[in-house]
Amino acid sequence: MTTNNIVQNMEVIGADGVHVGTVDGVANGRIRLAKGDSGEGQHKGHAHFIDLGLIADVEGKRVRLSANAAVAVTFEEEQSGKPV
């Protein structure tokens, strides 16, 4: 999978088409999601990351993951690489 087609502000969706986040950037084998998509409570206000291995396809301005959204968010990581 080449990351050249993944750019800032693309929507990240699950295999079911449900919104997971918005691309803020790509680095070190992971997509950095925009802070606005970081959830609630202790997770609000900082970026989360999704491993590029979860990407099924890049469709126009959307990055489709191989897992449904409800499952994909359980794979989100903190900047350190630890699970959310």
Side-chain angles (χ1 to χ4, degrees):
M1 154 82 31
T2 177
T3 61
N4 296 340
N5 296 335
I6 303 172
V7 296
Q8 190 173 24
N9 297 322
M10 290 180 88
E11 182 181 21
V12 179
I13 58 173
D16 53 359
V18 175
H19 179 84
V20 172
T22 305
V23 175
D24 190 38
V26 178
N28 301 321
R30 303 187 299 173
I31 293 175
R32 183 178 59 247
L33 298 176
K35 292 178 184 179
D37 290 316
S38 62
E40 298 297 324
Q42 67 182 7
H43 299 293
K44 191 165 182 73
H46 65 273
H48 289 163
F49 297 80
I50 294 183
D51 191 274
L52 293 176
L54 284 174
I55 296 174
D57 199 10
V58 177
E59 306 166 342
K61 295 186 179 188
R62 289 183 170 169
V63 177
R64 182 175 295 274
L65 303 177
S66 58
N68 287 341
V71 174
V73 297
T74 67
F75 289 107
E76 288 184 8
E77 300 174 341
E78 298 288 351
Q79 185 170 3
S80 66
K82 291 183 179 180
V84 169

